[in-house]
Amino acid sequence: MATLADPPVFRLTEGVGAHLTLTAQGGETAHIFVLEQDIIRVMVLPDGETRFARTWAIAPGQDDVAYEGRDRLDLEGFGQPDYALEVHDDRLVLSTAQLRLDLTLRNLRCRWSMRVGDDWRLIAADRPTQAYDFGWWDGRPRHYLKTLAGETYYGLGERSGPMNRAGRRFRLTNLDAMGYDAETSDPLYKHIPFYMTHTGEGAAFGLFYDTLSDCEFDFGCERDNYHGLYRGFVAEHGDLDYYVIAGPAPLVVTQRFTWLTGKPARLPDWAMAYSGSTMAYTDAPDAQAQMGEFLRLCAEHDIPCESFHLSSGYTSIGDKRYVFNWNRDKFPDPSGFVAGYAAKGVRLCANIKPCLLRDHPRIEEAHARGLLICEPDGAPHWVQFWDEVGAYIDFTNSDAASWWKARVTESLLDYGVAATWNDNNEYEIASPRARIAGFGQPRAAAACKPLQPLLMMRASREAQLAHAPNQRPMVVTRSGAVGLHRYAQTWSGDNTTAWKTLRWNLRMGLGLALSGVSNFGHDIGGFAGPKPDAELFLRWIASGVLLPRFSIHSWNDDGSANEPWMYPDAVPTVRALLGLRHRLTPYLKECLRRYSEDYEPAARPLFLSFPNDPVCWTEQDVFMLGEHLLAAPVVDAGAQAVDVILPRGADWEDYWTGRRYAGGEIVRLDCPLDRPPMLLRAGAALPLNLAEAHFNSTAFERGVRVAAPAIGGISGGWVEDDGVSIDGPSAAWRIEGRASEARISLSMSVSGELAKDRRLTLVLPSSERRAVELAAGRIGHEREVAGERLIEIAV
């Protein structure tokens, strides 16, 4: 057995194509996989054997993995490129076109270099002293890297605090973090052990640890005199299996990690619209009447709303919640209730929880059929859950997944419920006694807790697909692991009503987007604590309308509900902001289409689009929505204007005024409550819906907003479809052009099965007075409305 005085010395024992195997004298083993020119994987097995032979994270460009997981040695879907290999007495050097691994055989110390232009640059190096645990510590998977000068770190999903994680420590274990502090709380809901390093020389690369175990990342918080400066990873269970993803561009790193872990789900268009929600309605004794009142008030105030998140009070018996139960006192006619909502164009997304309380009507059935996480003697493993104890469904048992799908169907979908809200699915299990079926190989439940919510949302999605095979399923989840983006939309959990939450939630969401999860939002107005005052509520709405998910949700201390009409004087502002959301939906839809097809994040930090501008790597309250729109939400009480340092590498146009700015300028933007500060990248063309937004209306009027530069090119494109079908017909629009001092010259085209309607309205700011000419097609009527110049065009 290796010791510190006599460490393991590895040698290459097998090399078959993309898979190299190294072994040491004590049986220690390392596997190296050359997967792509920009992705190399290392698996370190101190005792020579895998502890978890399958993965649910890796699905390169694929829709999904097998229900029982993917064999870790399976290389299907990878390019497995040619590479150069040099084997020396003391080291091994492996090079692709983009990555180089220089591995010292004594102690298995890795040094990583990446090609940047014509040069190889060192991007990472294992700590010289005990980078792995070959018997020095407690046998847990560990990896320590030397801290290189100038490094900063980003990712790990929805972490609290600054986006740069340097100097901090994070614990990844899924937790129901009710009322968390968005600046300081840790851990939170999701398990995404991926982060991006920005090197001191300006390049970026990614590091993903494929584990389902509770784990900890330390980015220089810990110091030890004997090891120099370092950062580290340690997991409670499983294997050390990590992927290095080359950049050098940070956007490419995020895209490649998203590709590596699977194709993002395409959700129906109505998933982008305002979704009502509150605990107050379904907790009330007259819940069905309260829900009806919501529809009445939406109509009265003309609030466009296309879905409602039905909180778990509909399942109550007494003061507790029992998944798949309908409380017939609160909801005397579930079918009629659901149909009434559908008749108003509002779909229901019903809350479901994966834990059966000990007096649940189906607990004995589930136990008898072996569907629960249990003790070694077969008794249910009881956990604390919603003011009671209960037992979790074990989704590693295929019978449990089938049972779940049947219950989703008969209890919800058959009533007309459109979607599932997979909630309270953190699986907070601490006991080493708790056991799962493990797909026929029983194991400790605590070793892979985040797998359960992943399989839960998968089962919910499959039930919806089976019920409506040609429609995109809408699934929402609070918790999850790497791969959740293949199934669901998500949000940042049960936040607290406070101005600081508005600010720090922004960074939490961008951390998710960096980590492959782009279809996200936040509880608008704050979920827990006091109800927001009018200003905070409106600023939160103004921020939220620019993110993929938009839901006003609450469980206020005083029993009130966050509602669009909660402040009567503010209703016109709420309508204006929801109207902006409605107008921007075609652009947001295109951002999410590109996320699904090209793995580009929708909302993103500035440095993904402008990596060469040092200012874009600093902490700011701004973000890009797609590649064309810069948003600067107001996150301070009483603000009359916001200051924005515009990214270098582009010129910019104020969305509201049309005023042009140069990249690098510091600009002060007015911020009235109904107009969130937004700038368009010069040369951009954004698809819009110019029809007015109304309750129970699906009106559409095609528009395109062009931000013509002073002199330069114009380019844009988008795809239209029916918004609900999985493989329905579509139309692809393209616009190209050039602006000179005197005119804006455009060329437009459209193709596809839905290309029969070739009309659109060109939208320019009223300050844009240059003549417009069209290469092919017809320019029609021109008018000015509310500060905009509208020109009708037939292509």
Side-chain angles (χ1 to χ4, degrees), residues 5-22:
D6 185 22
V9 178
F10 288 81
R11 59 188 180 88
L12 181 63
T13 54
E14 187 174 359
V16 179
H19 181 186
L20 305 180
T21 303
L22 292 81

Side-chain angles (χ1 to χ4, degrees), residues 228-288:
L229 297 179
Y230 59 89
R231 64 186 190 276
F233 161 85
V234 57
E236 294 299 318
H237 307 277
D239 302 300
L240 180 61
D241 189 0
Y242 67 91
Y243 293 70
V244 176
I245 305 170
L251 177 59
V252 170
V253 175
T254 288
Q255 286 178 284
R256 291 297 273 166
F257 173 66
T258 310
W259 170 86
L260 175 68
T261 53
K263 195 172 181 62
R266 286 292 305 278
L267 303 184
D269 283 4
W270 57 264
M272 293 183 289
Y274 162 49
S275 185
S277 186
T278 178
M279 295 281 290
Y281 296 170
T282 57
D283 278 2
D286 59 342
Q288 188 164 334

Side-chain angles (χ1 to χ4, degrees), residues 56 70 90 95 112 146 151 167 243 271 304 370 377 395 506 645 669 713:
W56 286 260
R70 172 189 175 114
D90 61 343
S95 303
W112 298 87
K146 181 179 179 181
E151 288 181 333
Y243 293 70
D377 64 1
F395 285 95
L506 172 60
I645 307 174
L669 304 174

Side-chain angles (χ1 to χ4, degrees), residues 287-358:
Q288 188 164 334
Q290 295 269 358
M291 292 289 295
E293 182 69 358
F294 175 81
L295 290 182
R296 188 190 71 78
L297 289 169
C298 278
E300 177 182 319
H301 297 290
D302 199 15
I303 298 295
C305 176
E306 297 188 30
S307 69
F308 192 95
H309 279 57
L310 190 66
S311 290
S312 57
Y314 80 95
T315 70
S316 65
I317 301 174
D319 60 352
K320 299 182 178 66
R321 293 143 209 276
Y322 298 80
V323 65
F324 301 130
N325 175 68
W326 277 93
N327 182 316
R328 298 302 179 115
D329 294 325
K330 292 182 179 181
F331 291 90
D333 179 15
S335 295
F337 158 63
V338 177
Y341 259 66
K344 298 297 185 181
V346 182
R347 296 137 177 106
L348 287 172
C349 182
N351 186 286
I352 48 179
K353 306 182 189 301
C355 190
L356 304 186
L357 301 185
R358 60 180 167 182

Side-chain angles (χ1 to χ4, degrees), residues 56-64 190-192 208 254-267 453-454 457-458 461 473 475 477 479-490 512-513 515-520 592 595-597 599-600:
W56 286 260
I58 304 303
Q62 299 165 350
D63 291 326
D64 213 344
K190 298 175 184 68
H191 187 279
I192 305 178
F208 168 52
T254 288
Q255 286 178 284
R256 291 297 273 166
F257 173 66
T258 310
W259 170 86
L260 175 68
T261 53
K263 195 172 181 62
R266 286 292 305 278
L267 303 184
L454 202 67
M457 68 186 89
R458 175 181 177 141
R461 184 175 189 271
V475 178
T477 189
S479 187
V482 172
L484 74 87
H485 66 289
R486 303 194 296 258
Y487 313 116
Q489 182 187 80
T490 191
L512 276 171
S515 308
V517 181
S518 208
N519 202 328
F520 71 88
L592 290 174
Y595 169 54
S596 180
E597 296 188 5
Y599 309 100
E600 287 188 23

Side-chain angles (χ1 to χ4, degrees), residues 62 75 159 191 201 286 331 350 370 463 495-496 499 561-562 568 578 599 601 617 675 740 759 774 794:
Q62 299 165 350
L75 301 185
R159 299 299 103 187
H191 187 279
E201 296 183 321
D286 59 342
F331 291 90
N495 56 4
T496 303
W499 280 96
N562 292 348
L578 293 178
Y599 309 100
W617 290 91
R675 292 191 169 192
S740 66
R759 297 168 298 165
L774 190 64

